[in-house]
Amino acid sequence: MAYIPLVLVVIVVAWFVAAYNKLVRFRNQIKNAWHQIDVQLKRRYDLIPNLVEVVKDYMAYEQETLTKVIEARGAALSAKGPAAQAKAEGILTETLKSLFAVVERYPELKANQNVASLQEELTGTENKISFARQFYNDSVMTYNNAIQSIPTNFIASFFSFAQEAYFETEPESRAVPSLR
């Protein structure tokens, strides 16, 4: 009977350690998910100058479009945090769409193997970015649920585990593109 308080203390300490470690694991998963997005975005940023270099000779009268793509890439490179990154990425995606729309007007350019290859790589990278963003948001949801749920919310507030922001798209990018 004298061991019952000791056993209860051991159970409480074990639960405390397990809950704290779970919060740390979830927080690290978010950091890892963010870095996965960063890796895919870096790949995207590296492909864009190559694409611009290939198409600029064909598109002498479309310099404004190329300039917008380069500026959007620069803005996306310097964006920090999920909200700023999402906004900059939305603008970059829109400028890339306008670039690909312009490419459609140049049959020689459209038939160029380098352009087709770069377009295909960018499309594949866009898909990987979407998957990485989804994984990041799933990780944020799991973490935020853990720090808001009883009883782990007590440990979270004691050790200053703060909520993480979701990677949200801009409202403009949610609009259905016009086919006209």
Side-chain angles (χ1 to χ4, degrees):
M1 291 298 230
Y3 295 112
I4 290 176
L6 181 62
V7 170
L8 289 175
V9 168
V10 169
I11 289 171
V12 168
V13 169
W15 171 83
F16 179 84
V17 169
Y20 179 83
N21 287 342
K22 182 172 82 174
L23 292 174
V24 169
R25 189 174 61 248
F26 289 160
R27 186 174 58 195
N28 287 339
Q29 186 177 4
I30 290 171
K31 289 178 183 175
N32 178 46
W34 183 254
H35 289 294
Q36 294 303 316
I37 291 173
D38 205 36
V39 166
Q40 296 305 323
L41 293 177
K42 168 100 173 72
R43 176 176 165 73
R44 181 187 194 193
Y45 301 148
D46 291 346
L47 289 171
I48 290 171
N50 294 336
L51 178 65
V52 168
E53 191 63 32
V54 170
V55 301
K56 77 177 183 185
D57 292 336
Y58 293 92
M59 300 171 54
Y61 301 107
E62 308 286 351
Q63 291 301 312
E64 183 182 347
T65 302
L66 296 176
T67 302
K68 285 182 181 177
V69 170
I70 295 298
E71 288 174 354
R73 178 185 177 267
L77 273 169
S78 62
K80 303 289 182 213
Q85 191 81 46
K87 183 176 183 174
E89 291 301 320
I91 293 170
L92 180 58
T93 299
E94 292 303 315
T95 59
L96 283 174
K97 285 178 185 175
S98 66
L99 175 63
F100 291 137
V102 170
V103 166
E104 294 293 321
R105 287 189 237 151
Y106 294 85
E108 289 178 25
L109 186 57
K110 190 176 168 186
N112 184 307
Q113 197 64 13
N114 288 337
V115 172
S117 174
L118 285 168
Q119 255 184 310
E120 190 175 305
E121 281 192 55
L122 274 171
T123 302
T125 302
E126 293 290 333
N127 292 335
K128 290 176 185 174
I129 291 169
S130 294
F131 179 77
R133 287 176 183 160
Q134 181 182 0
F135 180 68
Y136 173 81
N137 282 340
D138 289 346
S139 299
V140 168
M141 182 188 70
T142 302
Y143 171 76
N144 285 344
N145 283 343
I147 66 170
Q148 294 172 358
S149 299
I150 295 175
T152 51
N153 64 338
F154 298 116
I155 295 171
S157 68
F158 186 75
F159 288 103
S160 302
F161 283 87
Q163 286 193 38
E164 294 287 339
Y166 287 98
F167 196 108
E168 296 182 37
T169 58
E170 289 295 307
E172 300 85 34
S173 66
R174 295 180 188 159
V176 177
S178 173
L179 298 176
R180 293 183 191 185

